[in-house]
Amino acid sequence: MAMEVKPLSTEESWILFCKKAFHGYSCPSHLESISRNILKKCGGLPLAVVAVGGVLATKNRNNIREWGMLNHSLGPELDSNDKFESMRIVLLLSFNDLPYYLKPCFLYLSIYPEDHLIERNTLIYRWIMEGFVKQKERGTVEHVADGYLNELINRSLIHPVQYNDDGSMKLGRIHDLYRELILSKSRDGNFTATVDEHNKLWPEKTRWLSMHGMLGNLQVKRSVTKLRSLLTFGVADPQSLSCISQVLSSSRMLRVLDLRGAPLNMIPETIFQMFHLRYLSLRNTNVKVLPRSIGRLKQLEILDLKQTYVSELPVEILKLENLSHLLVYSLVSYSYLPYNSSPGFKAFRGIGALRALQKLECIEATPGSGILREVGLLSELRRLCILKLRKEDGRTVCSSIQKLRKLESLNLKSVEEHEILDLSYMSSPPPLLQRLYLTGHIVKLPAWIQDLHSLVKIYFRWTHLTKDPLKYLQDLPNLVHLEFLVRYTGKELYFEQGKFQRLKLLNLDKLEGLKQVTIGEGAVPHLEKLVIQRCALLETVPTGIECLLNLKVLEFFDMPDEFIMTLRPDKQGADAWKVSHIREVFYTYWRDGCWMVHSLKEKEKNQISDQSGAVTRTYGRQNSL
């Protein structure tokens, strides 16, 4: 991340400062003089302004003494000729101001490589497994960890770059200068150490070790007996396996082991001697088999086998009474995903004994096994995915799901595209459900969906619905994200006047019969992104789209050329005026194994011809929203 060195003007600095220190509101009159004095010491450096504003946002606005102490701690006028030293003083202040419980959480971020995108869920669960987060009287330990993360965000120490549908951070990043600061602090206290192609030594007392990139034939010459955490980032060369194996062989006290992306075909047997292990991730490796030795890891709480080739688990998994996260599934990348592209794992009788489970993804329903009935015993479940359901499973799966009162995310998929997903037997759905994914033939949309007042996201795929389902969804008070994909035979979708008040993201994909989309007056007023793909019969852009003033992004994927031509201002398209207010309009085609992305706005600006249009190539499966 490039360092921001261009100074802001006094007015620009003040606006940015108020945004951070007072959450966008104006500065209270009794604080204006001292605020401007503090701001002057930042020398117009954007990161310094943000850092100081983040610190002051946590201070009592009625206690001028607190603000005066911060002003004094910055010292005299910062030397405007030494921007780096000025920045260092301000960043050190923001670090020193952290409460005791946040400092280890922030220092822990030094394990990440430069410019690495930090995943929210992974981070907070690592914090928990490392023992940085203590459960309070009210709320779960996850809620406490989430609060810690929000505190760091509010102090501008972590910068969100992508958000979840509920507004929480999905991916974040720290500035390079903050990373340098916490690297220095971590080295001084033997807190964390990093091994890469340039740095191949670490202090013997290191407790948290991360390995980055190509390690080659690195020979481990240091003791690692005090190590509590080992994480790898981008270690893909087979030669690095030797180094990892050497570290593992003498690291019996590990609590956190994350080998995601490492060139592993088999799980090293030494791992099953780590009896204190609480977190094990083998995500994105070539591992095919989970051995019976897994039963030795009695303390294990999180087992992440996503994007591996594991499809069956040994019955010894039932010995892991503390297991809270069991994640076993893979996503196959195609231009468009076929129906059976995301296998889970074959569940086994007795899984209901894992009463601590909070996340179970993804189990395959096995006929006659009693698995679906046992799911109802897992009362702590917050996230559940069940694949390969049959019509006759409907009554049992509904009975089990409505017992899961803490469930927040539910993903159900029938065994084949034309197999009916019968969910009509549920009378009292989980009250906290926020995300619902239904894939399979649904004869009629279940009436209970209208009662999901906490629902934020809903995803339909291969439903074969014949009637417009929007009336069942239009009054959900918190619905932000709607994806309606594949096999809808109706001719029209109608967003009634004044409905869908919270909806921000909408994706319509391969609705073969769809000819018209109508947006009534005042409907979807906060829609920000609309994706339309493979709707070959759609005659025009949605009627009423010209009234959606908050719509920022409009994307078309594999739509007929004649449809796109109606939107081309350089070709006098009849509907070009309807989308002229939208900042980004793209049309994209899958060609020769990659996406060819065209910007409608660039063509308008540059009057580019069809033959010489600016094109961006992106590879892999289109990630719709």
Side-chain angles (χ1 to χ4, degrees), residues 438 445 449 458-463 473 482-485:
L438 301 179
L445 214 59
I449 288 181
I458 191 163
Y459 175 111
F460 298 121
R461 196 177 181 105
W462 276 287
T463 60
L473 312 174
L482 170 60
E483 297 206 33
F484 193 24
L485 318 172

Side-chain angles (χ1 to χ4, degrees), residues 345-377:
F345 71 95
K346 295 177 178 62
F348 38 76
R349 191 182 301 274
I351 198 169
L354 295 176
R355 299 298 176 90
L357 275 181
Q358 297 177 19
K359 294 185 180 181
L360 179 58
E361 300 179 303
C362 294
I363 61 169
E364 298 180 356
T366 306
S369 66
I371 299 294
L372 297 179
R373 190 169 289 107
E374 289 194 55
V375 165
L377 301 174

